[in-house]
Every structure is written in C-alpha cells, then in structure tokens.
Amino acid sequence: MLGAAAGGAVRPVGVNAVLVICRQDFDLPPGKDLRRAAEVLTEHFTGLLRRGVLSRAVAAVILNPARHGHDRDLLSVEIDVVARDGVAGLATALNTIRDGFRLLPVALSDRFTAAEVEHLAGRVVGADGLQTSTRKID
C-alpha cells in the first residue's frame, strides 16, 4: 500500500468510549491522479489528528487485482475514531472522508470537478463498500 498513515493524540471521551474504524476503497475513473489525491486527503487528516479528532487515518493507493481481466488502482481510505458511542464515531469518520474529498477540486482542479467530488462524497454514506467495526475501549 502506498500512502501515508498517521496517528495522533486522542481526546478522552469518557468511560464508555468506543473505537470506530471505517474503511472504504474508491474505484475512480481513469485519468485521476490517485497518488496526489491520497496526499491531499492525508494533509486534511493530519490536521484532525493533531487536534485529537481522529486516532489514526490512512489515505493510500492500492492495487485491485484482476478485476474484469485487468488490474486497477483504487483510492483507499481508513479512519479510526475514539468517540462516546458508535454513532458519533461513525459520523465523525464519514464526515472526515467527505470533507477531504471536497478539497480535491481546489487542490487538483485539473483532475477533479466539483460535480465529480459531490458524486464521490455521496458514495461515502451508505455505500456497499464501506467497512466498519466498533470496539468498546476499557
């Protein structure tokens, strides 16, 4: 996996805190600069990690092996959040991913349009490829 992972200081959230982990892979149309998109997302995540909003965040380019007879790169995003409950953690993770995507037309205006990014951001919530897990923190 090529990309960046970072961990940050996590704000204490109380006795019943949970760790919420969200991961989703995005199959973007050809011609998108996935490596640069991962860098833009990582920059966005880094600020949230420093402020203690996230406990870990990864944006990377991964290879999707032999789909329809040919390999294809995917943009993979994983967010870990310590929160007071699973709903709050999931909301934070999904909003973090969507907000990061909304930075792409500014940072990579030659590769992403605002309409494309809004479509992509809309795929985050309720998407079939969204993987989540929640663990109680003792």
Side-chain angles (χ1 to χ4, degrees), residues 8-125:
V10 179
R11 284 189 256 175
V13 290
V15 177
N16 296 321
V18 295
L19 172 65
V20 177
I21 302 169
C22 292
R23 177 180 175 190
Q24 188 167 357
D25 300 332
F26 297 91
D27 189 1
L28 302 180
K32 304 300 178 192
D33 188 344
L34 298 183
R35 282 173 178 65
R36 183 69 183 110
E39 291 171 8
V40 170
L41 292 172
T42 297
E43 289 173 25
H44 171 62
F45 299 159
T46 299
L48 296 171
L49 287 161
R50 286 188 184 131
R51 293 192 337 245
V53 175
L54 307 176
S55 59
R56 192 176 76 84
V58 179
V61 178
I62 63 170
L63 182 65
N64 186 24
R67 185 170 172 181
H68 304 296
H70 63 280
D71 293 343
R72 185 170 174 136
D73 287 339
L74 302 176
L75 179 61
S76 181
V77 179
E78 185 172 324
I79 304 289
D80 297 8
V81 180
V82 175
R84 69 182 177 278
D85 59 48
V87 173
L90 182 61
T92 299
L94 296 177
N95 286 329
T96 297
I97 296 169
R98 284 192 314 206
D99 292 348
F101 283 149
R102 290 185 174 128
L103 296 172
L104 294 176
V106 175
L108 302 171
S109 59
D110 61 328
R111 300 291 179 148
F112 292 91
T113 67
E116 288 173 321
V117 168
E118 284 307 312
H119 175 73
L120 183 60
R123 287 178 37 202
V124 173
V125 177

